[in-house]
Amino acid sequence: MKLRTTFLWAMILSLSAAALIGIVVLLLPVYGPTDEILISTALFSAFSLVALCCAIVLEKRRLVPLMWIGIVAGAVAMLIWLFLVWFDWTIGWEWGERVARGGGVFTIFACWCAYCGLMSLARLSHRLFKGVKWGTIGIWAFLAFVWIVAICFEDWFVALIESLIDEDLAARLMGVLLILGACGTVVTPILWRVQALRAAASRESVPVELRMQIVCPRCHTQQELLTGRSKCAKCGLRIRITVEEPRCQCGYLLYKLEGDTCPECGRKVPVEDRWAASQSAGGEDQ
């Protein structure tokens, strides 16, 4: 929580500083490195957002090593770009280009780490839904790899593409992958929401407000209470009654399911949660 809060405040403060500087520059005749300050605050805000995304995933204990790598890569990329903004005059054009290439590589890798982490938070149970999610992550991983190779070995990469396929066809294929990646990025959270709605639609077979006869554990008074929060009519003891029916890990209600696998996600249903087992147990009790 502290890590996420730190990056969140860093992003808010840097955005506020950039907005304030921009207003001052527009309203007052300010002299000095205003452009460099604006670009620096914008860079700090952007990479704070990347770090914030990684921190959110870290709090969920998901892809921990990759998220820390993403945070470090984002910090290195920000330092490289800040160096080019403020001290590009200290190095020649050739070295400046090399440093910029390094900044591009670290930026792409940091953004992909944050993207991969956020996508991993969508816990989809259906095999088709999982395929869409991981296929989208794979597309962006491939694109990130291609961009990094193109940045590091531009001449060699262009020559390789020209020797394998037509340049126009390569651009078209890249466009197709970009469209598929964008569609998958939009569709994945929608599928996550659809899965949640389907689980919510699969309500318990018992009424929400169920009356039950219970004995108060403190004053031993027998009484009838509704499920949920209530209290003993005699001694005032606060009582909370919950009724939970067997569900699969994906949230599918197992009421009257006679098979041994969940029809929603295909997982094996534990023997004690199967309808046939509960029926036989009920028959034995009777």
Side-chain angles (χ1 to χ4, degrees):
M1 187 66 179
K2 291 182 179 179
L3 186 63
R4 182 174 64 174
T5 303
T6 300
F7 290 130
L8 180 60
W9 277 110
M11 184 178 65
I12 293 173
L13 292 175
S14 56
L15 284 173
S16 301
L20 180 61
I21 294 170
I23 293 172
V24 172
V25 170
L26 290 174
L27 297 180
L28 300 176
V30 179
Y31 300 96
T34 53
D35 292 340
E36 288 81 356
I37 296 175
L38 283 172
I39 295 173
S40 299
T41 52
L43 286 171
F44 195 76
S45 301
F47 285 105
S48 295
L49 178 60
V50 173
L52 176 63
C53 294
C54 293
I56 292 173
V57 181
L58 279 174
E59 288 186 352
K60 304 294 184 181
R61 297 292 188 269
R62 306 275 294 179
L63 304 177
V64 175
L66 185 62
M67 293 304 100
W68 279 114
I69 292 174
I71 292 175
V72 173
V76 173
M78 182 182 67
L79 292 175
I80 290 175
W81 293 120
L82 288 176
F83 174 80
L84 289 175
V85 169
W86 289 94
F87 305 104
D88 60 331
W89 54 272
T90 61
I91 55 179
W93 180 86
E94 183 178 353
W95 275 101
E97 184 182 6
R98 293 179 180 178
V99 174
R101 289 176 184 269
V105 170
F106 280 104
T107 300
I108 292 172
F109 188 73
C111 291
W112 182 81
C113 289
Y115 174 83
C116 184
L118 291 178
M119 289 286 284
S120 70
L121 295 180
R123 296 192 175 185
L124 301 173
S125 56
H126 196 281
R127 293 177 181 176
L128 179 60
F129 294 178
K130 285 183 177 179
V132 172
K133 182 182 78 170
W134 291 110
T136 304
I137 293 175
I139 288 174
W140 285 112
F142 175 76
L143 289 173
F145 173 76
V146 170
W147 291 334
I148 289 174
V149 172
I151 290 174
C152 295
F153 311 100
E154 181 179 0
D155 296 335
W156 173 84
F157 181 77
V158 172
L160 177 63
I161 294 298
E162 291 178 350
S163 63
L164 294 177
I165 57 177
D166 182 68
E167 185 177 352
D168 182 65
L169 178 59
R172 292 177 183 270
L173 292 176
M174 185 68 68
V176 170
L177 290 178
L178 286 171
I179 293 173
L180 291 176
C183 290
T185 303
V186 175
V187 168
T188 297
I190 295 176
L191 294 177
W192 189 17
R193 181 58 181 167
V194 169
Q195 177 179 280
L197 291 175
R198 291 174 66 177
S202 179
R203 300 291 184 184
E204 279 73 11
S205 59
V206 297
V208 177
E209 293 187 353
L210 181 66
R211 292 185 176 273
M212 303 184 68
Q213 291 286 340
I214 71 164
V215 177
C216 176
R218 185 161 66 182
C219 66
H220 306 292
T221 302
Q222 185 173 356
Q223 55 200 293
E224 187 179 79
L225 296 177
L226 289 172
T227 53
R229 296 181 181 273
S230 58
K231 61 181 180 179
C232 177
K234 185 176 181 180
C235 67
L237 177 68
R238 294 182 180 179
I239 301 172
R240 181 178 181 181
I241 304 173
T242 58
V243 179
E244 182 178 351
E245 294 190 272
R247 285 184 177 269
C248 179
Q249 295 182 24
C250 67
Y252 187 84
L253 182 63
L254 300 177
Y255 177 63
K256 289 189 176 180
L257 179 66
E258 297 183 355
D260 58 354
T261 58
C262 174
E264 182 73 17
C265 66
R267 288 190 179 94
K268 285 286 185 180
V269 178
V271 177
E272 61 273 13
D273 291 338
R274 297 176 188 174
W275 176 253
S278 62
Q279 287 293 93
S280 61
E284 292 175 0
D285 294 339
Q286 293 177 356

